[in-house]
Amino acid sequence: HQSRGEWSAQQRYRELEESAPPSSPYWQRREIITLDGNGAQIPFEWNQLTPGQQSAITSNPLDPASPYNGEEIVEFIRGDRSRELPDGRYRSRYHVIGDMLHSTPVHTGTPKDDSISDPTYEAYRSVNRDREGRIYVGANDGMLHVFDDEDGTLVYSYIPSMLIPKLNRL
């Protein structure tokens, strides 16, 4: 048993993945967001992406007449492992969440510094006094992941929209 604040993101994700019923896999419930072409937040789900984003994912630079299956690519990125090698055509992964190499985690939570008497900081501290603790970290899967700092639950992930044209290379 791990005490508060001691956790592994990979282990926590694996536990949630293994405890999910087959009719509702965990990867389908993950909150992954991106931005549309106008800067509005949208879910990173095939049917929510803009036509331009869908086109970017399906484009095959090696053979434009043979587009990729964009919906499968989005599901793979979201965490679907059913089409990984050796039975499928997508690369096999050790973990669904990408490696966090050369990425500096950032912790946010309740502002605790009582020694600052600046009115602007006091207002900031007051507004954020109930802010939940989060850890933000970039991973080599193209996402910024946000974890609960107490138990390691993946709160949500963000894919910068500028990376969408490169996702079909994963």
Side-chain angles (χ1 to χ4, degrees):
H1 181 296
Q2 295 174 334
S3 62
R4 179 180 176 203
E6 293 181 21
W7 46 266
S8 161
Q10 292 173 349
Q11 180 181 350
R12 183 69 178 128
Y13 187 92
R14 191 176 313 114
E15 290 168 359
L16 293 168
E17 191 175 39
E18 291 172 355
S19 67
S23 61
S24 180
Y26 180 68
W27 67 266
Q28 289 180 343
R29 297 191 314 267
R30 281 181 68 187
E31 184 176 358
I32 302 175
I33 59 172
T34 191
L35 300 178
D36 69 6
N38 299 315
Q41 180 178 306
I42 58 172
F44 184 76
E45 297 172 4
W46 179 252
N47 63 352
Q48 298 294 318
L49 297 176
T50 67
Q53 291 170 327
Q54 289 177 345
S55 177
I57 292 172
T58 61
S59 69
N60 181 345
L62 301 175
D63 184 3
S66 181
Y68 295 126
N69 182 323
E71 188 166 1
E72 283 184 7
I73 291 172
V74 168
E75 290 174 355
F76 173 79
I77 292 166
R78 289 184 55 78
D80 182 6
R81 303 190 84 169
S82 67
R83 295 181 188 93
E84 289 183 15
L85 294 170
D87 300 324
R89 61 177 155 184
Y90 298 108
R91 67 180 172 84
S92 181
R93 300 173 279 191
Y94 288 111
H95 307 285
V96 172
I97 296 176
D99 294 331
M100 297 170 194
L101 301 171
H102 308 294
S103 183
T104 303
V106 174
H107 180 265
T108 63
T110 303
K112 304 237 187 266
D113 194 343
D114 294 335
S115 67
I116 300 174
S117 62
D118 179 89
T120 305
Y121 183 76
E122 289 176 13
Y124 164 78
R125 190 173 62 220
S126 176
V127 168
N128 291 286
R129 71 176 170 266
D130 296 325
R131 182 170 61 182
E132 295 184 41
R134 299 287 185 249
I135 296 176
Y136 296 78
V137 63
N140 288 340
D141 54 11
M143 296 187 213
L144 173 71
H145 297 289
V146 181
F147 299 97
D148 181 283
D149 72 346
E150 288 187 27
D151 68 3
T153 298
L154 182 60
V155 178
Y156 72 92
S157 300
Y158 169 71
I159 298 177
S161 57
M162 70 183 94
L163 293 181
I164 288 178
K166 299 178 181 184
L167 293 177
N168 59 14
R169 298 179 192 159
L170 289 175

